[in-house]
Structure formats: C-alpha cells, structure tokens
C-alpha cells in the first residue's frame, strides 16, 4: 500500500497513532526516510489537517473521518466491521482489504468521485430522544 501511495503522490505522510508503532513494525516494513512521519498525538494530525492539502488513505477510521471533516478526500481501508458497517450505512468511502484492493485504490486516487455522506438523521434523533 505504501509503495502504491509513493508512486501516486509526491509526498506521503504517515501518522503513527500509537507511540510504539514505529518501534514494533513500521520501520521494518519501509524505509521511513522516504516518508513524512508525524505523530503519535492528535495535535500533530490536527496541524496537518488544518495546514496541508492531501488525500487521506489509511486504516485508521477516526483519522479518516477527521480528515474528511477537514475537507480532505478520504478512503478508509477496512480492517474490521466498524468502517465496513459505517460505510454501508452512510456512504463513507471504505475499501475492503482483499485481493485486488490496490488496483481499486489506484482507481480511487486517479478517478476522484464526490463523497456524499448520508447520515440517518431520523434514527439519530430517535436514539437521542431516549435520553430526554
């Protein structure tokens, strides 16, 4: 995935959400000197969201939503049922990590489509009213 992103974008930034992400495996997978590595705190992510132009492509659901809310095109790679289900329910751009997903990712990068999130407002209001 990082190789594909590096071939499609001039700059690839990696947000290491956990303080030990680099120690545990990331530096064994890729040469980190080829990437802009930020983190591991939310303030660093917020700074990038507010000051840089980019597309978000990654496995972190909440980071993808934050980027989308910050006006950035976002594609979340599903690693569990949360992203998958939210994508099905709302139109959140989610891609399954399965055979051929890199081709689908490249297609998403090179053929942008408008993201249209459709939140189930009636269900949300009904849920919230139970607390009144």
């Amino acid at each position: 995935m990082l190789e594909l992103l590096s071939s499609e974008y001039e700059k690839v930034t990696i947000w290491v959400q956990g303080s030990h992400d680099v120690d545990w495996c990331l530096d064994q997978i890729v040469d980190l000197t080829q990437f802009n590595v930020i983190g591991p705190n939310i303030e660093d992510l917020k700074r990038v969201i507010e000051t840089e132009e980019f597309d978000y492509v990654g496995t972190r659901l909440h980071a993808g939503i934050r980027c989308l809310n910050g006006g950035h095109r976002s594609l979340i790679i599903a690693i569990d049922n949360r992203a998958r289900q939210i994508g099905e329910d709302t139109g959140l751009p989610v891609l399954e990590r399965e055979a051929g997903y890199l081709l689908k990712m490249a297609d998403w990068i090179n053929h942008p489509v408008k993201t249209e999130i459709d939140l189930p407002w009636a269900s949300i209001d009904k849920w919230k009213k139970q607390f009144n």
Side-chain angles (χ1 to χ4, degrees):
M1 182 171 87
L2 289 172
E3 288 175 6
L4 172 67
L5 293 172
S6 292
S7 72
E8 296 289 343
Y9 293 99
E10 288 181 26
K11 176 182 173 184
V12 176
T13 298
I14 300 172
W15 177 51
V16 288
Q17 181 176 345
S19 59
H20 295 288
D21 285 356
V22 172
D23 298 337
W24 287 339
C25 65
L26 191 56
D27 62 347
Q28 296 173 22
I29 297 171
V30 294
D31 176 5
L32 290 177
T33 62
Q34 297 177 22
F35 301 93
N36 178 37
V37 180
I38 62 167
N41 57 63
I42 198 70
E43 288 76 26
D44 287 343
L45 178 62
K46 285 170 58 176
R47 178 186 46 76
V48 169
I49 290 171
E50 293 169 359
T51 62
E52 297 187 23
E53 290 295 322
F54 63 91
D55 291 342
Y56 172 85
V57 178
T59 60
R60 299 297 190 175
L61 172 62
H62 295 94
I65 292 170
R66 279 183 177 269
C67 291
L68 192 62
N69 284 334
H72 301 279
R73 200 165 70 112
S74 297
L75 180 64
I76 293 124
I77 310 304
I79 58 170
D80 61 28
N81 67 320
R82 296 173 310 140
R84 184 177 304 113
Q85 189 63 52
I86 292 171
E88 290 172 7
D89 291 346
T90 67
L92 182 71
V94 175
L95 180 63
E96 291 290 334
R97 191 170 58 177
E98 59 190 12
Y101 87 100
L102 292 176
L103 292 174
K104 293 177 183 176
M105 183 185 300
D107 187 56
W108 180 88
I109 292 168
N110 293 300
H111 301 97
V113 295
K114 184 178 179 184
T115 298
E116 295 188 25
I117 303 297
D118 182 25
L119 294 175
W121 291 113
S123 297
I124 292 168
D125 289 339
K126 181 180 176 183
W127 178 82
K128 287 167 82 175
K129 285 180 182 175
Q130 71 179 325
F131 302 107
N132 290 340

